[in-house]
Amino acid sequence: MSIINTIAILISLAAIFSYLNHKYLKIPTTIGLLAIALIMSLGIVVLGKMGLPIEDQAITLLKGIDFNETLMQGMLSALLFAGALHVHLEELIKQRWIVAILASVGVMTSTFLVGFVSFYIFGWLGLDIPFIYCLLFGSLISPTDPIAVLGILKTVGAPKSLETKIAGESLFNDGVAVVVFLVLLGIAGVGGHGDHEEINAASIAALFAQEAVGGAIFGFAIGYIAYRMLSSIDNYQVEILITLGLVFGGHALASALHLSGPIAIVVAGLLIGNSGRKFAMSDKTRDHLDNFWELIDEILNAVLFVLIGLEVLVLTFDTTAVIAGLIMIPVVLAIRFFSVGVPVSIMRLRQTFTPKIIRILTWGGLRGGISIALVLTLPAGEYREALLMVTYVIVVFSILVQGMTIGKLVKSR
């Protein structure tokens, strides 16, 4: 199937599912889309068991879509830029320490704790998964996805400081988690960063600095260039095109230079969303830019969550892996509670936080498409299929259950 037909089918499904959700379910869009896509996928399986060939056609369609490539090299940069555009830098600076700690130390703490615990749980269940792959699982399940929860926080009147903490952490921890994942992939000997024997503490530190710090510097540089271009003209069509070039061209160039594309785009987005919006745009351009990127954000999110729901059709179903996923749900939540609770409790000695902040950050730390995309980066084999099923179970629970109930938790604070 051609790429045009594939895109046409996905956008059409997203449009139909969005209509059904808005008309009948009336739940947050991303959650509704995932739920409807899952129901449709199960319906396709049932029809396939009844002899209709629709299941084979659906599987053929999905196998023609590289989920990892689609999200990590295409959609993610646009989603991160759209999110960063509306994060107020002044508020982010106020929350800089908690955001920085959660997005760095929190991610690494979660990575190693999940890795250690999952190694023993998987072994107890009979899943013979090497320790390095358990650490990879820890790194891919640690980043949080703000897409579903931020809309809910706005509708229930969550404090701006709380929105900034969740948005800031999730924007940056995506980039940090990808860097950690790449480092571990290199240690496993399948990451393309060198042979296993060449991996040592110095090379790990150098790779981390190159990807993360280099990505941030590169993001500031391309963001500043775009800012200067925006400030020199007043034509909203051209200015929107400049931001598109910044997002997709910047991400591609960062990847080619072996820098973190996600971190680069977040930094560039923060620069354009703050200094660019204030000093480089007219009111007309600002309104058009906001509307454009809000629409892009909605469309890409819709397609992404439809894809996540349909991915169940291409999973290799294994009862043991499903049980492992169900067991890992409370484990991942408990580790999230610990990695959030410790730094917040320490920082509470010197500053005030929103009531129930630890519980809100824990339950509001949804897992999303980036976790599935990263697990699909693993080389084909028995380890990937088991870890994909475990990851999928956690992601679906996170979006459907946590996403549907986080609003009540915030309201009850």
Side-chain angles (χ1 to χ4, degrees):
M1 184 175 294
S2 70
I3 187 170
I4 297 298
N5 288 338
T6 300
I7 293 173
I9 291 173
L10 290 175
I11 292 179
S12 298
L13 289 175
I16 294 169
F17 294 172
S18 295
Y19 172 81
L20 293 174
N21 178 66
H22 184 77
K23 184 77 172 177
Y24 301 108
L25 298 183
K26 302 184 186 301
I27 58 179
T29 303
T30 49
I31 300 173
L33 289 173
L34 175 60
I36 296 172
L38 282 171
I39 293 170
M40 192 189 86
S41 297
L42 295 176
I44 289 173
V45 172
V46 172
L47 291 174
K49 301 298 181 185
M50 295 171 61
L52 296 177
I54 188 172
E55 183 179 5
D56 292 336
Q57 295 175 4
I59 291 174
T60 300
L61 168 68
L62 288 170
K63 285 187 175 180
I65 302 171
D66 188 328
F67 188 98
N68 174 270
E69 187 78 15
T70 301
L71 177 59
M72 300 300 291
Q73 301 300 325
M75 299 168 68
L76 182 62
S77 56
L79 290 169
L80 290 175
F81 184 81
L85 273 181
H86 299 288
V87 174
H88 295 290
L89 197 55
E90 295 87 352
E91 187 65 35
L92 184 61
I93 291 173
K94 291 180 185 177
Q95 309 291 340
R96 63 188 181 279
W97 291 115
I98 185 63
V99 168
I101 290 172
L102 292 179
S104 57
V105 178
V107 167
M108 287 184 276
T109 300
S110 175
T111 293
F112 284 95
L113 288 179
V114 171
F116 274 103
V117 176
S118 63
F119 177 71
Y120 290 104
I121 290 177
F122 292 161
W124 175 64
L125 291 172
L127 292 173
D128 187 22
I129 299 178
F131 180 64
I132 187 63
Y133 278 82
C134 292
L135 286 179
L136 281 164
F137 169 70
S139 68
L140 66 88
I141 207 66
S142 294
T144 57
D145 189 336
I147 295 168
V149 74
L150 281 180
I152 300 171
L153 293 178
K154 291 176 182 176
T155 59
V156 299
K160 193 66 185 176
S161 61
L162 178 59
E163 283 186 39
T164 302
K165 288 185 184 73
I166 294 179
E169 178 205 359
S170 55
L171 286 171
F172 283 103
N173 73 12
D174 280 359
V176 172
V178 170
V179 174
V180 173
F181 181 85
L182 290 174
V183 169
L184 292 171
L185 207 58
I187 294 174
V190 293
H193 289 288
D195 297 331
H196 179 75
E197 290 77 18
E198 297 174 0
I199 298 294
N200 51 49
S203 64
I204 290 173
L207 177 60
F208 195 90
Q210 175 186 331
E211 289 272 355
V213 179
I217 295 172
F218 179 77
F220 180 83
I222 60 174
Y224 182 74
I225 293 171
Y227 166 78
R228 298 291 297 180
M229 293 172 69
L230 293 171
S231 63
S232 66
I233 61 173
D234 184 16
N235 182 299
Y236 74 86
Q237 294 100 329
V238 177
E239 291 178 78
I240 289 174
L241 194 57
I242 289 171
T243 61
L244 277 171
L246 169 65
V247 170
F248 293 105
H251 189 279
L253 184 54
S255 298
L257 296 173
H258 300 293
L259 306 173
S260 173
I263 291 178
I265 295 304
V266 168
V267 172
L270 288 171
L271 179 59
I272 299 300
N274 288 271
S275 297
R277 284 166 56 84
K278 288 180 182 178
F279 307 116
M281 301 177 193
S282 64
D283 291 339
K284 183 178 181 180
T285 296
R286 194 177 301 116
D287 290 340
H288 279 286
L289 188 76
D290 287 346
N291 291 333
F292 174 81
W293 280 104
E294 183 179 349
L295 185 59
I296 291 293
D297 191 41
E298 289 291 333
I299 292 172
L300 292 182
N301 280 329
V303 172
L304 172 60
F305 279 84
V306 167
L307 261 178
I308 292 175
L310 295 177
E311 278 291 308
V312 71
L313 291 171
V314 294
L315 293 178
T316 301
F317 187 83
D318 179 77
T319 304
T320 304
V322 173
I323 293 172
L326 294 174
I327 293 174
M328 287 305 299
I329 289 171
V331 170
V332 168
L333 284 171
I335 290 173
R336 167 74 177 171
F337 183 84
F338 175 81
S339 61
V340 167
V342 171
V344 169
S345 297
I346 293 173
M347 296 184 73
R348 261 186 175 150
L349 300 174
R350 303 191 64 177
Q351 68 181 90
T352 303
F353 285 91
T354 305
K356 298 185 179 179
I357 181 66
I358 297 176
R359 275 179 281 178
I360 292 172
L361 287 174
T362 300
W363 197 247
L366 308 188
R367 272 65 183 183
I370 191 170
S371 295
I372 296 175
L374 288 176
V375 75
L376 287 171
T377 303
L378 298 175
E382 55 182 327
Y383 305 144
R384 189 179 81 161
E385 295 306 316
L387 291 177
L388 177 57
M389 178 61 75
V390 173
T391 302
Y392 195 84
V393 170
I394 295 172
V395 168
V396 170
F397 173 88
S398 175
I399 295 170
L400 294 183
V401 179
Q402 293 174 238
M404 284 292 292
T405 53
I406 182 62
K408 294 180 181 179
L409 178 60
V410 174
K411 280 184 178 179
S412 67
R413 71 185 191 282

